[in-house]
Amino acid sequence: MACCPAHDDDNPSLSVREGCDGKILLKCFTGCPLDAICAALGLEVSDLFESDFSSKNSMTRTVYSYTDEDGRELYRKIRIEPGYDGKAKSFYSERVDENGQIIRSLQGCRRILYRLPEVLKGIAEGKTIYLVEGEKDADNLHSIGLVATTSPESLKWSDEFTESLKGADVVILYDMDETGLKRKEILCKSLANRVKRLRVVDLPGLEFQKSHGPDVSDWLMRGHMTEELIELTEKTSDYRLAEPTSRIRAVTLDEFLLMELPKREMILSPFLPSQGLGLLYAKRGVGKTHVALGIAYAVATGGAFLKWQAPKPRKVIYIDGEMPAPAMQERLKRISVGEDLKPPDPTYLRLVTPDLQEGPMPDLSSKEGREALEPLIVDCDLIIIDNISTLFRSGDENEAESWQPIQDWGLSLRKRGKSILFVHHAGKSGQQRGTSKKEDTLDVVINLKPLQGHSLEEGAAFEVIFEKTRNFAGEGAADFQVRLRVQDDGLWKWEIEEPEVDPEVVAVAQSCKEGLTIDQIRKKTGLTKSQVETRKGKAKKQGLI
């Protein structure tokens, strides 16, 4: 570990390793790109490899300048062909600081649309604005007399971009691949009802490819003319957001049994399936964020955490509502160094945390707050919400009605194939805080109960209790105890122990043997009805009744 030269780093965040094939592996845990790190060191990315890179002199370098409303360059995007690591092309961005030095980082730099002055002039003159995926496409359309633009990154779109296009007649031309279709969805949701006119043109003859699919430049190279594109545009109807429908569909038993429904796979075995909804809760300071981060890292790497195993890597986004960024960074550093696994693919574990936002975190209780997350979750498999109290800020958490919009949101994401793990606080009773309606649609509810006689100052130590288990049982649903130890080398180690017999479970078991009802046991022990039922279930699992 060393201080990263690409940003102001006083807490070493750069990992330097030698790969098994002799490559030098660099990774900045704050997110600095590889080319920015190499540039700060005076190196080329190719210097990290042992191969003969004499062919790099034959690279084609294309510069796309991003200028503001006044024509002042803010930054450049560089296209390299052939690209790094055997890719057909690679991109990186740079800017010139006030001292004339080239900085390969856009940190703190305002992002704008490509060819912004021409776009603003075109809007003022009532011209159609073609929104494409890449700078090359925008330049090609400009060369045939059309006004075209794009955004710096394919799957990121900001409110400022939308504001720049306010009052414009916008036509979306998308690439025929997975990224292009996702981008089209993001653009439609961001621009519908917010620009003067919006159309999505489907170019005939382009066949879908999973990656590097054909685009408008390919379409023009096949002999199609400007007039043909304009004619297609004029024939295309305005885009409209899908109207909500109240139509309820019913199917017969035979129809239902013959349907080819997607099979639910395990994201984290045995308790979290695909299209799964879960709740992890504990009292403050017990260790729920430790566990949630461990789950996130295991799923993103296809690894293991505690007694749980992820069969394969999946994309995770971690929405954090309260942790300071340095504390979150320190925890993830310890997790990544301590795990005997290769780090996750950079796109497989992404974090949203308050300290890195320009404004407040979105209120997910509101429709606007949930829509703000949409571009981030469109391609992820698991969404971790840490925690309910800080991210769902409107309404009364004790009222079932306040949870209904969140429940509907969770079900809609489940329908799209996504899983959610909610992280929540426990109340004074030790149960999850607020309305029990939260648990209605969940597949699993996990309570991290502090171990008796253990002080929070000693570190995380708790019992993992499965309070709700849908579609799994047996050994996988058995409770167990966990302690987080800090070893002499500073690394973390989780120790798993068999649970001690809970005297409340023993008392409930004995009362059941005496033939007492749930209400009689509640009065005898002072427990709530829910607590009696939970301990009765534990007693059965432990063979006490």
Side-chain angles (χ1 to χ4, degrees), residues 388-431:
I388 289 174
S389 298
T390 56
L391 293 171
F392 297 91
R393 298 190 292 274
S394 303
D396 187 340
E397 68 178 14
N398 292 312
E399 292 181 356
E401 288 184 7
S402 296
W403 184 253
Q404 187 61 52
I406 296 97
Q407 178 175 292
D408 293 342
W409 179 60
L411 292 174
S412 70
L413 291 174
R414 185 180 75 180
K415 184 177 180 180
R416 291 164 55 186
K418 304 184 185 304
S419 298
I420 305 178
L421 179 63
F422 295 102
V423 181
H424 192 32
H425 293 301
K428 293 180 180 179
S429 67
Q431 298 298 296

mmCIF file of all heavy atoms in Angstrom, residues 388-431:
data_model
loop_
_atom_site.group_PDB
_atom_site.id
_atom_site.type_symbol
_atom_site.label_atom_id
_atom_site.label_comp_id
_atom_site.label_asym_id
_atom_site.label_seq_id
_atom_site.Cartn_x
_atom_site.Cartn_y
_atom_site.Cartn_z
ATOM 1 N N ILE A 388 -32.450 2.097 6.479
ATOM 2 C CA ILE A 388 -33.802 2.586 6.264
ATOM 3 C C ILE A 388 -34.019 3.951 6.905
ATOM 4 O O ILE A 388 -34.626 4.849 6.307
ATOM 5 C CB ILE A 388 -34.822 1.556 6.803
ATOM 6 C CG1 ILE A 388 -34.831 0.316 5.895
ATOM 7 C CG2 ILE A 388 -36.218 2.154 6.907
ATOM 8 C CD1 ILE A 388 -35.697 -0.818 6.404
ATOM 9 N N SER A 389 -33.521 4.155 8.108
ATOM 10 C CA SER A 389 -33.793 5.394 8.850
ATOM 11 C C SER A 389 -33.232 6.628 8.157
ATOM 12 O O SER A 389 -33.859 7.687 8.149
ATOM 13 C CB SER A 389 -33.207 5.291 10.265
ATOM 14 O OG SER A 389 -33.800 4.241 10.979
ATOM 15 N N THR A 390 -32.044 6.516 7.564
ATOM 16 C CA THR A 390 -31.399 7.686 6.963
ATOM 17 C C THR A 390 -31.767 7.886 5.503
ATOM 18 O O THR A 390 -31.633 9.000 4.985
ATOM 19 C CB THR A 390 -29.874 7.562 7.066
ATOM 20 O OG1 THR A 390 -29.452 6.333 6.451
ATOM 21 C CG2 THR A 390 -29.423 7.582 8.506
ATOM 22 N N LEU A 391 -32.224 6.847 4.829
ATOM 23 C CA LEU A 391 -32.506 6.961 3.395
ATOM 24 C C LEU A 391 -34.004 7.035 3.079
ATOM 25 O O LEU A 391 -34.369 7.453 1.984
ATOM 26 C CB LEU A 391 -31.871 5.782 2.655
ATOM 27 C CG LEU A 391 -30.343 5.799 2.664
ATOM 28 C CD1 LEU A 391 -29.777 4.493 2.116
ATOM 29 C CD2 LEU A 391 -29.812 6.976 1.851
ATOM 30 N N PHE A 392 -34.859 6.631 4.019
ATOM 31 C CA PHE A 392 -36.303 6.797 3.867
ATOM 32 C C PHE A 392 -36.747 7.768 4.956
ATOM 33 O O PHE A 392 -37.107 7.359 6.056
ATOM 34 C CB PHE A 392 -37.021 5.448 3.989
ATOM 35 C CG PHE A 392 -36.647 4.464 2.909
ATOM 36 C CD1 PHE A 392 -35.602 3.579 3.108
ATOM 37 C CD2 PHE A 392 -37.319 4.452 1.699
ATOM 38 C CE1 PHE A 392 -35.244 2.674 2.113
ATOM 39 C CE2 PHE A 392 -36.965 3.554 0.704
ATOM 40 C CZ PHE A 392 -35.923 2.664 0.907
ATOM 41 N N ARG A 393 -36.702 9.048 4.636
ATOM 42 C CA ARG A 393 -36.799 10.062 5.691
ATOM 43 C C ARG A 393 -38.202 10.647 5.860
ATOM 44 O O ARG A 393 -38.462 11.354 6.826
ATOM 45 C CB ARG A 393 -35.806 11.194 5.402
ATOM 46 C CG ARG A 393 -34.367 10.726 5.392
ATOM 47 C CD ARG A 393 -33.400 11.893 5.341
ATOM 48 N NE ARG A 393 -33.440 12.617 4.087
ATOM 49 C CZ ARG A 393 -32.740 12.286 3.011
ATOM 50 N NH1 ARG A 393 -31.982 11.207 3.025
ATOM 51 N NH2 ARG A 393 -32.799 13.027 1.920
ATOM 52 N N SER A 394 -39.090 10.409 4.921
ATOM 53 C CA SER A 394 -40.440 10.968 5.020
ATOM 54 C C SER A 394 -41.401 9.948 5.631
ATOM 55 O O SER A 394 -41.173 8.744 5.561
ATOM 56 C CB SER A 394 -40.947 11.376 3.629
ATOM 57 O OG SER A 394 -40.066 12.303 3.030
ATOM 58 N N GLY A 395 -42.476 10.467 6.193
ATOM 59 C CA GLY A 395 -43.480 9.571 6.763
ATOM 60 C C GLY A 395 -43.108 9.092 8.151
ATOM 61 O O GLY A 395 -42.055 9.434 8.701
ATOM 62 N N ASP A 396 -43.962 8.280 8.705
ATOM 63 C CA ASP A 396 -43.796 7.735 10.048
ATOM 64 C C ASP A 396 -43.469 6.253 9.919
ATOM 65 O O ASP A 396 -44.268 5.479 9.387
ATOM 66 C CB ASP A 396 -45.085 7.932 10.845
ATOM 67 C CG ASP A 396 -44.950 7.532 12.319
ATOM 68 O OD1 ASP A 396 -44.002 6.764 12.626
ATOM 69 O OD2 ASP A 396 -45.786 7.953 13.125
ATOM 70 N N GLU A 397 -42.286 5.844 10.406
ATOM 71 C CA GLU A 397 -41.879 4.450 10.234
ATOM 72 C C GLU A 397 -42.744 3.479 11.039
ATOM 73 O O GLU A 397 -42.687 2.274 10.830
ATOM 74 C CB GLU A 397 -40.408 4.262 10.603
ATOM 75 C CG GLU A 397 -40.075 4.429 12.061
ATOM 76 C CD GLU A 397 -38.599 4.172 12.345
ATOM 77 O OE1 GLU A 397 -37.797 4.121 11.398
ATOM 78 O OE2 GLU A 397 -38.271 4.025 13.542
ATOM 79 N N ASN A 398 -43.565 4.017 11.959
ATOM 80 C CA ASN A 398 -44.463 3.150 12.711
ATOM 81 C C ASN A 398 -45.795 2.924 11.994
ATOM 82 O O ASN A 398 -46.606 2.116 12.431
ATOM 83 C CB ASN A 398 -44.739 3.757 14.095
ATOM 84 C CG ASN A 398 -43.495 3.742 14.975
ATOM 85 O OD1 ASN A 398 -42.824 2.726 15.078
ATOM 86 N ND2 ASN A 398 -43.177 4.880 15.575
ATOM 87 N N GLU A 399 -46.036 3.666 10.907
ATOM 88 C CA GLU A 399 -47.286 3.536 10.177
ATOM 89 C C GLU A 399 -47.086 2.645 8.957
ATOM 90 O O GLU A 399 -46.176 2.850 8.175
ATOM 91 C CB GLU A 399 -47.788 4.913 9.733
ATOM 92 C CG GLU A 399 -48.225 5.817 10.875
ATOM 93 C CD GLU A 399 -48.736 7.154 10.376
ATOM 94 O OE1 GLU A 399 -48.682 7.395 9.143
ATOM 95 O OE2 GLU A 399 -49.186 7.962 11.198
ATOM 96 N N ALA A 400 -47.988 1.688 8.808
ATOM 97 C CA ALA A 400 -47.906 0.769 7.679
ATOM 98 C C ALA A 400 -48.047 1.503 6.353
ATOM 99 O O ALA A 400 -47.408 1.163 5.353
ATOM 100 C CB ALA A 400 -48.980 -0.311 7.806
ATOM 101 N N GLU A 401 -48.884 2.561 6.318
ATOM 102 C CA GLU A 401 -49.112 3.294 5.081
ATOM 103 C C GLU A 401 -47.829 3.945 4.568
ATOM 104 O O GLU A 401 -47.621 4.058 3.362
ATOM 105 C CB GLU A 401 -50.187 4.362 5.296
ATOM 106 C CG GLU A 401 -51.587 3.799 5.449
ATOM 107 C CD GLU A 401 -52.624 4.894 5.556
ATOM 108 O OE1 GLU A 401 -52.253 6.073 5.378
ATOM 109 O OE2 GLU A 401 -53.793 4.584 5.816
ATOM 110 N N SER A 402 -46.968 4.386 5.471
ATOM 111 C CA SER A 402 -45.729 5.041 5.057
ATOM 112 C C SER A 402 -44.788 4.072 4.366
ATOM 113 O O SER A 402 -43.950 4.482 3.550
ATOM 114 C CB SER A 402 -45.023 5.664 6.275
ATOM 115 O OG SER A 402 -45.803 6.693 6.844
ATOM 116 N N TRP A 403 -44.900 2.782 4.697
ATOM 117 C CA TRP A 403 -44.017 1.793 4.077
ATOM 118 C C TRP A 403 -44.545 1.298 2.736
ATOM 119 O O TRP A 403 -43.790 0.745 1.941
ATOM 120 C CB TRP A 403 -43.821 0.613 5.027
ATOM 121 C CG TRP A 403 -42.835 -0.398 4.497
ATOM 122 C CD1 TRP A 403 -43.110 -1.639 3.996
ATOM 123 C CD2 TRP A 403 -41.417 -0.243 4.389
ATOM 124 N NE1 TRP A 403 -41.963 -2.262 3.590
ATOM 125 C CE2 TRP A 403 -40.890 -1.430 3.820
ATOM 126 C CE3 TRP A 403 -40.524 0.781 4.712
ATOM 127 C CZ2 TRP A 403 -39.542 -1.617 3.577
ATOM 128 C CZ3 TRP A 403 -39.168 0.606 4.473
ATOM 129 C CH2 TRP A 403 -38.703 -0.580 3.913
ATOM 130 N N GLN A 404 -45.824 1.527 2.452
ATOM 131 C CA GLN A 404 -46.430 0.958 1.249
ATOM 132 C C GLN A 404 -45.703 1.351 -0.047
ATOM 133 O O GLN A 404 -45.428 0.488 -0.892
ATOM 134 C CB GLN A 404 -47.901 1.357 1.162
ATOM 135 C CG GLN A 404 -48.666 0.663 0.032
ATOM 136 C CD GLN A 404 -48.667 -0.851 0.190
ATOM 137 O OE1 GLN A 404 -49.029 -1.351 1.248
ATOM 138 N NE2 GLN A 404 -48.254 -1.575 -0.847
ATOM 139 N N PRO A 405 -45.333 2.645 -0.268
ATOM 140 C CA PRO A 405 -44.618 2.993 -1.507
ATOM 141 C C PRO A 405 -43.271 2.283 -1.616
ATOM 142 O O PRO A 405 -42.861 1.905 -2.723
ATOM 143 C CB PRO A 405 -44.436 4.512 -1.395
ATOM 144 C CG PRO A 405 -45.477 4.967 -0.438
ATOM 145 C CD PRO A 405 -45.634 3.849 0.540
ATOM 146 N N ILE A 406 -42.581 2.088 -0.484
ATOM 147 C CA ILE A 406 -41.289 1.402 -0.520
ATOM 148 C C ILE A 406 -41.496 -0.071 -0.848
ATOM 149 O O ILE A 406 -40.731 -0.675 -1.602
ATOM 150 C CB ILE A 406 -40.553 1.575 0.818
ATOM 151 C CG1 ILE A 406 -40.218 3.053 1.052
ATOM 152 C CG2 ILE A 406 -39.264 0.768 0.831
ATOM 153 C CD1 ILE A 406 -41.155 3.811 1.893
ATOM 154 N N GLN A 407 -42.550 -0.654 -0.279
ATOM 155 C CA GLN A 407 -42.855 -2.052 -0.577
ATOM 156 C C GLN A 407 -43.161 -2.223 -2.065
ATOM 157 O O GLN A 407 -42.683 -3.168 -2.706
ATOM 158 C CB GLN A 407 -44.049 -2.520 0.258
ATOM 159 C CG GLN A 407 -44.473 -3.962 -0.033
ATOM 160 C CD GLN A 407 -45.577 -4.424 0.901
ATOM 161 O OE1 GLN A 407 -45.369 -4.587 2.083
ATOM 162 N NE2 GLN A 407 -46.770 -4.615 0.354
ATOM 163 N N ASP A 408 -43.936 -1.296 -2.636
ATOM 164 C CA ASP A 408 -44.254 -1.361 -4.063
ATOM 165 C C ASP A 408 -42.988 -1.230 -4.906
ATOM 166 O O ASP A 408 -42.833 -1.910 -5.936
ATOM 167 C CB ASP A 408 -45.247 -0.260 -4.431
ATOM 168 C CG ASP A 408 -46.620 -0.473 -3.804
ATOM 169 O OD1 ASP A 408 -46.904 -1.611 -3.375
ATOM 170 O OD2 ASP A 408 -47.392 0.502 -3.717
ATOM 171 N N TRP A 409 -42.095 -0.341 -4.486
ATOM 172 C CA TRP A 409 -40.824 -0.148 -5.197
ATOM 173 C C TRP A 409 -39.998 -1.430 -5.158
ATOM 174 O O TRP A 409 -39.439 -1.864 -6.173
ATOM 175 C CB TRP A 409 -40.067 1.009 -4.560
ATOM 176 C CG TRP A 409 -38.735 1.312 -5.166
ATOM 177 C CD1 TRP A 409 -38.469 1.672 -6.461
ATOM 178 C CD2 TRP A 409 -37.466 1.309 -4.491
ATOM 179 N NE1 TRP A 409 -37.122 1.894 -6.632
ATOM 180 C CE2 TRP A 409 -36.485 1.682 -5.436
ATOM 181 C CE3 TRP A 409 -37.075 1.042 -3.188
ATOM 182 C CZ2 TRP A 409 -35.136 1.781 -5.112
ATOM 183 C CZ3 TRP A 409 -35.738 1.147 -2.858
ATOM 184 C CH2 TRP A 409 -34.781 1.510 -3.818
ATOM 185 N N GLY A 410 -39.923 -2.046 -3.985
ATOM 186 C CA GLY A 410 -39.166 -3.285 -3.857
ATOM 187 C C GLY A 410 -39.729 -4.392 -4.738
ATOM 188 O O GLY A 410 -38.982 -5.128 -5.391
ATOM 189 N N LEU A 411 -41.056 -4.486 -4.794
ATOM 190 C CA LEU A 411 -41.681 -5.509 -5.635
ATOM 191 C C LEU A 411 -41.445 -5.238 -7.117
ATOM 192 O O LEU A 411 -41.279 -6.170 -7.912
ATOM 193 C CB LEU A 411 -43.174 -5.586 -5.337
ATOM 194 C CG LEU A 411 -43.554 -6.126 -3.947
ATOM 195 C CD1 LEU A 411 -45.057 -6.021 -3.723
ATOM 196 C CD2 LEU A 411 -43.089 -7.564 -3.779
ATOM 197 N N SER A 412 -41.438 -3.950 -7.510
ATOM 198 C CA SER A 412 -41.185 -3.628 -8.915
ATOM 199 C C SER A 412 -39.749 -3.973 -9.302
ATOM 200 O O SER A 412 -39.494 -4.450 -10.420
ATOM 201 C CB SER A 412 -41.459 -2.144 -9.179
ATOM 202 O OG SER A 412 -40.484 -1.314 -8.558
ATOM 203 N N LEU A 413 -38.802 -3.767 -8.379
ATOM 204 C CA LEU A 413 -37.411 -4.137 -8.658
ATOM 205 C C LEU A 413 -37.259 -5.652 -8.701
ATOM 206 O O LEU A 413 -36.494 -6.193 -9.508
ATOM 207 C CB LEU A 413 -36.482 -3.530 -7.607
ATOM 208 C CG LEU A 413 -36.324 -2.008 -7.660
ATOM 209 C CD1 LEU A 413 -35.505 -1.514 -6.473
ATOM 210 C CD2 LEU A 413 -35.674 -1.570 -8.963
ATOM 211 N N ARG A 414 -37.978 -6.343 -7.821
ATOM 212 C CA ARG A 414 -37.944 -7.807 -7.848
ATOM 213 C C ARG A 414 -38.457 -8.325 -9.184
ATOM 214 O O ARG A 414 -37.908 -9.274 -9.756
ATOM 215 C CB ARG A 414 -38.790 -8.366 -6.705
ATOM 216 C CG ARG A 414 -38.709 -9.891 -6.578
ATOM 217 C CD ARG A 414 -39.558 -10.399 -5.440
ATOM 218 N NE ARG A 414 -40.972 -10.379 -5.767
ATOM 219 C CZ ARG A 414 -41.935 -10.777 -4.924
ATOM 220 N NH1 ARG A 414 -41.613 -11.187 -3.696
ATOM 221 N NH2 ARG A 414 -43.201 -10.737 -5.285
ATOM 222 N N LYS A 415 -39.502 -7.697 -9.702
ATOM 223 C CA LYS A 415 -40.065 -8.096 -10.991
ATOM 224 C C LYS A 415 -39.035 -7.932 -12.103
ATOM 225 O O LYS A 415 -39.038 -8.680 -13.089
ATOM 226 C CB LYS A 415 -41.312 -7.257 -11.285
ATOM 227 C CG LYS A 415 -42.044 -7.653 -12.550
ATOM 228 C CD LYS A 415 -43.297 -6.808 -12.722
ATOM 229 C CE LYS A 415 -44.048 -7.184 -13.990
ATOM 230 N NZ LYS A 415 -45.272 -6.356 -14.168
ATOM 231 N N ARG A 416 -38.140 -6.959 -11.941
ATOM 232 C CA ARG A 416 -37.088 -6.714 -12.950
ATOM 233 C C ARG A 416 -35.863 -7.597 -12.730
ATOM 234 O O ARG A 416 -34.853 -7.428 -13.392
ATOM 235 C CB ARG A 416 -36.685 -5.240 -12.912
ATOM 236 C CG ARG A 416 -37.768 -4.300 -13.413
ATOM 237 C CD ARG A 416 -37.520 -2.864 -13.009
ATOM 238 N NE ARG A 416 -36.210 -2.376 -13.430
ATOM 239 C CZ ARG A 416 -35.719 -1.191 -13.099
ATOM 240 N NH1 ARG A 416 -36.433 -0.371 -12.338
ATOM 241 N NH2 ARG A 416 -34.531 -0.805 -13.517
ATOM 242 N N GLY A 417 -35.951 -8.520 -11.775
ATOM 243 C CA GLY A 417 -34.861 -9.468 -11.564
ATOM 244 C C GLY A 417 -33.831 -9.032 -10.551
ATOM 245 O O GLY A 417 -32.781 -9.664 -10.427
ATOM 246 N N LYS A 418 -34.104 -7.976 -9.786
ATOM 247 C CA LYS A 418 -33.124 -7.452 -8.833
ATOM 248 C C LYS A 418 -33.454 -7.897 -7.407
ATOM 249 O O LYS A 418 -34.607 -8.156 -7.077
ATOM 250 C CB LYS A 418 -33.062 -5.928 -8.928
ATOM 251 C CG LYS A 418 -32.762 -5.454 -10.350
ATOM 252 C CD LYS A 418 -32.606 -3.971 -10.429
ATOM 253 C CE LYS A 418 -32.432 -3.553 -11.886
ATOM 254 N NZ LYS A 418 -31.300 -4.238 -12.548
ATOM 255 N N SER A 419 -32.416 -7.953 -6.580
ATOM 256 C CA SER A 419 -32.580 -8.280 -5.164
ATOM 257 C C SER A 419 -32.237 -7.059 -4.325
ATOM 258 O O SER A 419 -31.405 -6.229 -4.717
ATOM 259 C CB SER A 419 -31.668 -9.447 -4.771
ATOM 260 O OG SER A 419 -32.001 -10.617 -5.481
ATOM 261 N N ILE A 420 -32.874 -6.952 -3.153
ATOM 262 C CA ILE A 420 -32.612 -5.835 -2.241
ATOM 263 C C ILE A 420 -32.350 -6.379 -0.849
ATOM 264 O O ILE A 420 -33.063 -7.262 -0.369
ATOM 265 C CB ILE A 420 -33.799 -4.855 -2.170
ATOM 266 C CG1 ILE A 420 -34.193 -4.349 -3.565
ATOM 267 C CG2 ILE A 420 -33.457 -3.665 -1.273
ATOM 268 C CD1 ILE A 420 -35.389 -3.412 -3.536
ATOM 269 N N LEU A 421 -31.320 -5.835 -0.194
ATOM 270 C CA LEU A 421 -31.088 -6.111 1.219
ATOM 271 C C LEU A 421 -31.204 -4.786 1.968
ATOM 272 O O LEU A 421 -30.392 -3.884 1.783
ATOM 273 C CB LEU A 421 -29.707 -6.722 1.448
ATOM 274 C CG LEU A 421 -29.361 -7.018 2.915
ATOM 275 C CD1 LEU A 421 -30.312 -8.060 3.486
ATOM 276 C CD2 LEU A 421 -27.916 -7.471 3.056
ATOM 277 N N PHE A 422 -32.271 -4.657 2.768
ATOM 278 C CA PHE A 422 -32.459 -3.467 3.593
ATOM 279 C C PHE A 422 -31.702 -3.650 4.910
ATOM 280 O O PHE A 422 -31.746 -4.725 5.514
ATOM 281 C CB PHE A 422 -33.945 -3.248 3.907
ATOM 282 C CG PHE A 422 -34.791 -2.934 2.708
ATOM 283 C CD1 PHE A 422 -35.591 -3.911 2.136
ATOM 284 C CD2 PHE A 422 -34.812 -1.663 2.160
ATOM 285 C CE1 PHE A 422 -36.395 -3.629 1.039
ATOM 286 C CE2 PHE A 422 -35.599 -1.368 1.063
ATOM 287 C CZ PHE A 422 -36.392 -2.354 0.498
ATOM 288 N N VAL A 423 -31.029 -2.603 5.368
ATOM 289 C CA VAL A 423 -30.357 -2.597 6.665
ATOM 290 C C VAL A 423 -31.126 -1.638 7.572
ATOM 291 O O VAL A 423 -31.479 -0.529 7.151
ATOM 292 C CB VAL A 423 -28.887 -2.167 6.530
ATOM 293 C CG1 VAL A 423 -28.188 -2.196 7.893
ATOM 294 C CG2 VAL A 423 -28.154 -3.075 5.540
ATOM 295 N N HIS A 424 -31.390 -2.057 8.814
ATOM 296 C CA HIS A 424 -32.283 -1.274 9.671
ATOM 297 C C HIS A 424 -31.823 -1.353 11.121
ATOM 298 O O HIS A 424 -31.035 -2.227 11.505
ATOM 299 C CB HIS A 424 -33.706 -1.812 9.529
ATOM 300 C CG HIS A 424 -34.761 -0.942 10.130
ATOM 301 N ND1 HIS A 424 -34.664 0.431 10.185
ATOM 302 C CD2 HIS A 424 -35.968 -1.260 10.715
ATOM 303 C CE1 HIS A 424 -35.746 0.915 10.759
ATOM 304 N NE2 HIS A 424 -36.545 -0.082 11.091
ATOM 305 N N HIS A 425 -32.342 -0.421 11.925
ATOM 306 C CA HIS A 425 -32.053 -0.394 13.359
ATOM 307 C C HIS A 425 -33.074 -1.231 14.133
ATOM 308 O O HIS A 425 -34.232 -1.365 13.722
ATOM 309 C CB HIS A 425 -32.102 1.037 13.895
ATOM 310 C CG HIS A 425 -31.011 1.920 13.368
ATOM 311 N ND1 HIS A 425 -29.682 1.638 13.548
ATOM 312 C CD2 HIS A 425 -31.065 3.070 12.650
ATOM 313 C CE1 HIS A 425 -28.953 2.589 12.980
ATOM 314 N NE2 HIS A 425 -29.768 3.463 12.424
ATOM 315 N N ALA A 426 -32.633 -1.748 15.255
ATOM 316 C CA ALA A 426 -33.546 -2.396 16.201
ATOM 317 C C ALA A 426 -34.043 -1.355 17.200
ATOM 318 O O ALA A 426 -33.346 -0.388 17.523
ATOM 319 C CB ALA A 426 -32.839 -3.523 16.938
ATOM 320 N N GLY A 427 -35.265 -1.559 17.688
ATOM 321 C CA GLY A 427 -35.813 -0.669 18.700
ATOM 322 C C GLY A 427 -35.400 -1.094 20.106
ATOM 323 O O GLY A 427 -34.582 -2.002 20.295
ATOM 324 N N LYS A 428 -35.983 -0.461 21.105
ATOM 325 C CA LYS A 428 -35.639 -0.764 22.493
ATOM 326 C C LYS A 428 -35.980 -2.204 22.858
ATOM 327 O O LYS A 428 -35.328 -2.817 23.709
ATOM 328 C CB LYS A 428 -36.379 0.196 23.426
ATOM 329 C CG LYS A 428 -35.914 1.643 23.295
ATOM 330 C CD LYS A 428 -36.677 2.543 24.252
ATOM 331 C CE LYS A 428 -36.219 3.999 24.123
ATOM 332 N NZ LYS A 428 -36.967 4.904 25.038
ATOM 333 N N SER A 429 -37.015 -2.750 22.206
ATOM 334 C CA SER A 429 -37.422 -4.124 22.506
ATOM 335 C C SER A 429 -36.469 -5.149 21.926
ATOM 336 O O SER A 429 -36.530 -6.334 22.262
ATOM 337 C CB SER A 429 -38.831 -4.378 21.953
ATOM 338 O OG SER A 429 -38.820 -4.351 20.529
ATOM 339 N N GLY A 430 -35.591 -4.698 21.043
ATOM 340 C CA GLY A 430 -34.691 -5.621 20.361
ATOM 341 C C GLY A 430 -35.205 -6.069 19.011
ATOM 342 O O GLY A 430 -34.484 -6.679 18.231
ATOM 343 N N GLN A 431 -36.509 -5.768 18.721
ATOM 344 C CA GLN A 431 -37.088 -6.108 17.428
ATOM 345 C C GLN A 431 -36.825 -4.981 16.434
ATOM 346 O O GLN A 431 -36.448 -3.869 16.809
ATOM 347 C CB GLN A 431 -38.591 -6.342 17.574
ATOM 348 C CG GLN A 431 -38.949 -7.503 18.480
ATOM 349 C CD GLN A 431 -38.420 -8.819 17.957
ATOM 350 O OE1 GLN A 431 -38.809 -9.280 16.898
ATOM 351 N NE2 GLN A 431 -37.524 -9.432 18.711
#
